[in-house]
Amino acid sequence: PDHRALLDRLRERRKLPQQMNYQGWRDAELAYYRSELNEVVEDLWNLPDGRIVKVTRQRHPLGGIMTAFEDITEKISREAQFNTQINVQKATLNNLAEAVAVFSADGTLRLHNKAFEELWRIAPARLAGPSARSAAFPIHALGVGAHDLTLRISVGAGEAQDVVTIPALLQGHDLEVQIAALGPPIFV
């Protein structure tokens, strides 16, 4: 069958996305044959059976079009589950009184709570985006000198616990920082 007949058959079998104006949609699909553009065009098709298909089209220089179909239902589902998990973690962190920060293996700040921002006096905008790794602990910006820091690091459970104390910042209170082994040590 030709492309038009194939689209019509798929529609009859409810294998295409629902369209208010099917004929207009089909004509737009077939217009790629006449298009002068040689760029890649991508769409997402939400099929009646619940699947999500990524459709990639490109006009071939010798005529015709190349169309690739990829079922991305599982990928979209995993991304939605991941985003839900992140949102639950953020909500949990924001309800803690303790300052909490989670870093990825490459040292990028992934999650933190409001208490963390307040403790370190860092504007939320400085903790967002690609600069989060370098902005995580700008000790020099806090006016705290190296003589105010005591640093001991614990590598694993059961080993000696190490503590960071910053007396000048905390006005006589001790701050204990526990760092999970998510990757190599990062010194900022």
Side-chain angles (χ1 to χ4, degrees), residues 5 19 24 31 34 48-49 66 68 71 92 95 99 106 109 112 114-115 117 119 124 135 141 153 174 177 179 186:
Q19 300 296 327
R34 298 182 304 277
D49 64 3
M66 189 284 299
D71 184 346
T92 302
N95 286 316
D106 69 354
L109 180 63
H112 69 283
K114 188 76 173 160
E117 295 169 4
L119 174 70
I153 297 175
D174 286 338
V177 178
I179 302 173
I186 304 294

Side-chain angles (χ1 to χ4, degrees), residues 175-188:
L175 167 68
E176 181 175 318
V177 178
Q178 295 179 349
I179 302 173
L182 296 176
I186 304 294
F187 295 98
V188 180

Side-chain angles (χ1 to χ4, degrees), residues 12 58 90 103 106 110 144 150 152 156 159 162-163 183:
E12 289 169 9
Q58 184 174 19
K90 285 180 181 179
F103 297 89
D106 69 354
R110 291 295 189 193
V144 177
T150 304
R152 293 181 299 160
E159 298 179 20
D162 298 316
V163 175

Side-chain angles (χ1 to χ4, degrees), residues 15-46:
K15 303 248 182 205
L16 290 178
Q18 297 280 336
Q19 300 296 327
M20 294 293 288
N21 177 3
Y22 171 73
Q23 289 181 356
W25 177 84
R26 182 188 61 199
D27 291 344
E29 286 292 312
L30 299 174
Y32 287 108
Y33 289 101
R34 298 182 304 277
S35 174
E36 293 296 321
L37 299 175
N38 196 25
E39 60 191 38
V40 175
V41 178
E42 292 182 350
D43 287 317
L44 294 181
W45 287 4
N46 293 298

Side-chain angles (χ1 to χ4, degrees), residues 52 54 70-83:
I52 301 170
K54 178 175 146 185
E70 178 185 4
D71 184 346
I72 61 170
T73 308
E74 288 298 316
K75 178 182 175 188
I76 297 287
S77 176
R78 282 192 307 271
E79 287 176 1
Q81 289 173 350
F82 177 76
N83 290 336

